[in-house]
Amino acid sequence: MFLKSVKPGIIKKTSIRSRLTLFYSLAAFTLLTLITLFLYWETINILYKADYQFLSDEVETLQYILQNKHPNLTALKQEVIDYPTKPGDSIYRHYIRVFDENNKMLIETPGMSSILPVTNPDVHANKRLLKRNYRWYSNRDNKYLLIQSPVRLGNNAYGYLQIALDISYQHAVFSDRKFLIVALLASALCSLLLGFFIAHRGMRSLYVLTDTVKKITVTSLHQRIDPRSLPKELAALGNAFNQMLDRIESSFVRLKQFSSDLAHELRIPVNNLIGETEITLSRGHTVDEYQQVLISNLEELHRISQLIENILFLSRAENPQLEIQKTLLNLHDEIGVVCDYYQAMADEKNISVSCEGQAELRVNSIMFRRMISNILSNALKYTPSGGWIRFAITTYQNIVQITLRDNGIGIASEHLPKIFDRFYRVDSARSQHSGGIGLGLSIVKSIVDLHQGKISITSEVDKGTTICLTFHK
Ligand SMILES: Nc1ncnc2c1ncn2[C@@H]1O[C@H](COP(=O)(O)OP(=O)(O)O)[C@@H](O)[C@H]1O
Ligand SMILES: [Mg+2]
């Protein structure tokens, strides 16, 4: 039987390990991709910033040279012709072109015309703006970052600068994203493997728990899981499982005890029957003697029949689906009927039986009488001659309480916790002698349970016993 049915579904069917692996790898992969992309863009940014900075520095240098009334031509030549395409300086290979205020080209890096044809920049417009502008420029083979900037000349007029920085190398590095994709794919694979490994390790305690549980059988019900060996999340499960095992074990022990007690109870009367019948058959007897044997056998058979009836009652009462019919009864009258039945026995032992109080309660009449009869017969059995037995019925709000007190032999406190157990007797030999089989109080308890009531017992040896039955109206 499943306590809670789990709807079948694709996600529910996949193992926790696979789900953890998947979620972990997805999270790790997303994180890795984001970090990689961020670093990629950041590197591009830094390199391009350096390119812009280089161009801007270059403009400043040229401005410094050109603004002189008598420009240092050697320095200008070095700056424009010697340095820019110096072999080995490939990252910052650049080309410079300078125009005067009349748009006439003053000087340019050799080979610049082939990559950027001489255009006629609108010097005056740019002069007004006094603003540098950058743009990307590419020809068939290479890519350039081009700066165009007005430049103040020695005669206070404005000329114009064009510097083209070859950025083909950086561009090639960044546009080759194959490596990036391969690295990301490899990291996806790694996170998948790592995810599987982590999930497997994380679930290991669960596998250990499952193995331990699998090994527990009826013969090893005493085995327990050590919650200290489990992680915190599973320790609670381990504890709950141990508690369940405690309950199963105690039920199992009780069941075993019950069947052995039952066998024991049946063995005595059946052995008596066999013994007496064998003796009777072994020699001839008079009709009177046969009659005596039959009467004695009938007594044993009644005992067996009563035992069977009690067991049947208890097993029926345990059925949670059992519905009992209740009627509104006057409890004083009902107790009175039971007391009348036992009056002869009470008189014989010179015990006074009384009942005080009034209340009405919805109960099952037959069960109620049986319950009262069981506790009254006990009180009569265990109260010496000349004693008293008192019923008291009290009501408080919607609670009805029936108390039975006697001044009998009482019960030692160590027996009280087990007193409602089946077949439990304080003194087997004594009870056996008085005909008890230890089912009386278990039946009382199951009747109280069926009425959603409560039962409690207090007792003192040689002083007496009090049984308290509490019901809701
Ligand atoms: N009123 C009582 N005074 C003293 N002992 C009692 C009383 N009621 C029950 N007991 C003790 O509780 C035990 C269990 O009672 P019960 O279940 O009715 O079985 P039994 O068949 O022995 O009467 C009895 O054996 C007896 O020792
Ligand atoms: Mg009894």
Side-chain angles (χ1 to χ4, degrees):
M1 185 181 74
F2 294 102
L3 291 179
K4 218 180 201 178
S5 65
V6 178
K7 268 189 203 156
I10 296 169
I11 292 186
K12 295 233 165 94
K13 269 186 196 161
T14 51
S15 71
I16 298 180
R17 189 175 57 186
S18 326
R19 267 186 278 168
L20 278 179
T21 308
L22 191 74
F23 293 148
Y24 172 83
S25 352
L26 266 177
F29 182 66
T30 314
L31 215 67
L32 271 171
T33 312
L34 286 176
I35 292 173
T36 313
L37 286 180
F38 174 76
L39 288 178
Y40 176 72
W41 289 123
E42 202 48 31
T43 317
I44 291 180
N45 224 4
I46 289 169
L47 280 178
Y48 282 147
K49 253 190 200 155
D51 291 343
Y52 282 92
Q53 190 58 48
F54 175 83
L55 287 175
S56 148
D57 288 350
E58 200 57 40
V59 170
E60 295 304 326
T61 313
L62 287 164
Q63 173 73 73
Y64 181 76
I65 298 170
L66 289 168
Q67 73 189 358
N68 239 310
K69 269 209 175 121
H70 308 287
N72 182 341
L73 288 177
T74 323
L76 183 68
K77 216 176 126 274
Q78 270 181 350
E79 204 60 37
V80 178
I81 295 170
D82 297 345
Y83 296 154
T85 51
K86 208 168 61 173
D89 200 4
S90 56
I91 290 182
Y92 288 115
R93 198 152 57 123
H94 59 287
Y95 300 85
I96 301 171
R97 183 179 286 150
V98 185
F99 294 94
D100 69 3
E101 69 271 32
N102 302 317
N103 286 351
K104 201 170 120 270
M105 192 186 74
L106 286 178
I107 187 167
E108 76 168 3
T109 312
M112 184 160 181
S113 320
S114 63
I115 58 153
L116 181 73
V118 181
T119 49
N120 280 332
D122 183 0
V123 180
H124 297 289
N126 283 293
K127 189 168 67 184
R128 254 182 280 122
L129 289 169
L130 270 181
K131 212 173 154 195
R132 294 169 189 179
N133 68 71
Y134 295 88
R135 70 182 169 90
W136 301 90
Y137 175 81
S138 57
N139 65 8
R140 229 179 331 116
D141 310 313
N142 294 320
K143 291 213 175 291
Y144 301 93
L145 177 62
L146 179 71
I147 185 171
Q148 307 192 93
S149 168
V151 61
R152 200 145 50 84
L153 301 175
N155 54 4
N156 266 344
Y158 277 89
Y160 202 74
L161 274 179
Q162 282 183 331
I163 310 172
L165 176 67
D166 189 339
I167 52 165
S168 314
Y169 176 73
Q170 284 111 305
H171 202 269
V173 170
F174 292 126
S175 50
D176 181 16
R177 299 203 185 95
K178 251 182 274 155
F179 177 72
L180 206 70
I181 291 166
V182 169
L184 275 178
L185 283 179
S187 68
L189 194 73
C190 275
S191 53
L192 203 71
L193 289 174
L194 256 172
F196 180 80
F197 177 70
I198 290 171
H200 186 79
R201 266 205 78 104
M203 301 294 291
R204 207 171 52 183
S205 310
L206 200 63
Y207 302 141
V208 172
L209 187 69
T210 314
D211 269 356
T212 320
V213 172
K214 263 190 203 162
K215 280 182 200 139
I216 296 174
T217 61
V218 176
T219 48
S220 57
L221 271 179
H222 57 277
Q223 267 193 28
R224 292 292 177 274
I225 292 156
D226 181 8
R228 286 167 309 174
S229 65
L230 296 171
K232 229 190 332 181
E233 293 82 354
L234 289 181
L237 182 68
N239 276 326
F241 195 82
N242 282 346
Q243 283 162 10
M244 190 182 81
L245 278 177
D246 285 346
R247 290 193 296 271
I248 293 178
E249 195 183 10
S250 78
S251 305
F252 194 72
V253 167
R254 260 192 291 143
L255 200 70
K256 260 166 68 177
Q257 183 66 38
F258 176 70
S259 34
S260 81
D261 285 344
L262 185 63
H264 183 73
E265 286 307 323
L266 281 170
R267 201 176 55 186
I268 297 168
V270 170
N271 279 351
N272 288 351
L273 280 173
I274 293 171
E276 281 197 41
T277 314
E278 274 175 355
I279 292 168
T280 318
L281 284 175
S282 63
R283 53 193 159 90
H285 284 284
T286 64
V287 172
D288 263 6
E289 281 170 334
Y290 277 120
Q291 229 167 12
Q292 279 307 311
V293 171
L294 282 178
I295 288 169
S296 154
N297 281 2
L298 191 63
E299 244 173 57
E300 295 294 357
L301 287 169
H302 271 307
R303 204 175 140 80
I304 294 172
S305 144
Q306 196 204 343
L307 175 68
I308 291 169
E309 199 268 330
N310 281 338
I311 298 284
L312 270 178
F313 178 85
L314 278 170
S315 71
R316 263 194 239 118
E318 252 181 14
N319 179 0
Q321 263 117 45
L322 181 75
E323 279 191 21
I324 53 169
Q325 283 200 334
K326 294 181 190 170
T327 40
L328 192 64
L329 293 179
N330 182 311
L331 299 186
H332 189 274
D333 292 351
E334 288 299 309
I335 292 173
V337 171
V338 181
C339 288
D340 286 349
Y341 182 78
Y342 283 96
Q343 196 56 54
M345 202 202 272
D347 288 345
E348 204 179 292
K349 283 184 86 176
N350 191 24
I351 293 173
S352 73
V353 180
S354 64
C355 178
E356 276 174 20
Q358 281 284 359
E360 284 196 328
L361 188 67
R362 284 181 58 78
V363 287
N364 180 290
S365 161
I366 296 172
M367 287 187 184
F368 186 79
R369 284 188 187 183
R370 184 169 192 167
M371 177 175 79
I372 297 297
S373 155
N374 280 5
I375 55 174
L376 179 57
S377 68
N378 276 352
L380 281 169
K381 244 192 268 178
Y382 303 112
T383 302
S385 300
W388 50 256
I389 295 169
R390 290 170 194 159
F391 277 103
I393 306 165
T394 49
T395 51
Y396 176 71
Q397 291 176 349
N398 65 337
I399 286 172
V400 175
Q401 210 165 53
I402 301 165
T403 318
L404 172 67
R405 299 173 68 195
D406 64 49
N407 65 341
I409 59 168
I411 306 165
S413 57
E414 71 261 28
H415 298 293
L416 290 177
K418 288 184 174 173
I419 209 76
F420 297 113
D421 287 359
R422 291 169 189 188
F423 295 113
Y424 191 80
R425 284 172 293 206
V426 171
D427 178 352
S428 311
R430 191 186 70 196
S431 297
Q432 189 64 53
H433 176 70
S434 51
I437 49 170
L439 286 178
L441 286 182
S442 350
I443 288 174
V444 172
K445 174 145 188 354
S446 64
I447 293 174
V448 172
D449 287 346
L450 279 172
H451 287 81
Q452 282 89 42
K454 286 218 162 61
I455 184 166
S456 64
I457 185 164
T458 49
S459 190
E460 229 180 298
V461 175
D462 292 334
K463 288 252 170 73
T465 305
T466 305
I467 290 188
C468 198
L469 312 169
T470 313
F471 301 96
H472 286 273
K473 265 190 184 172

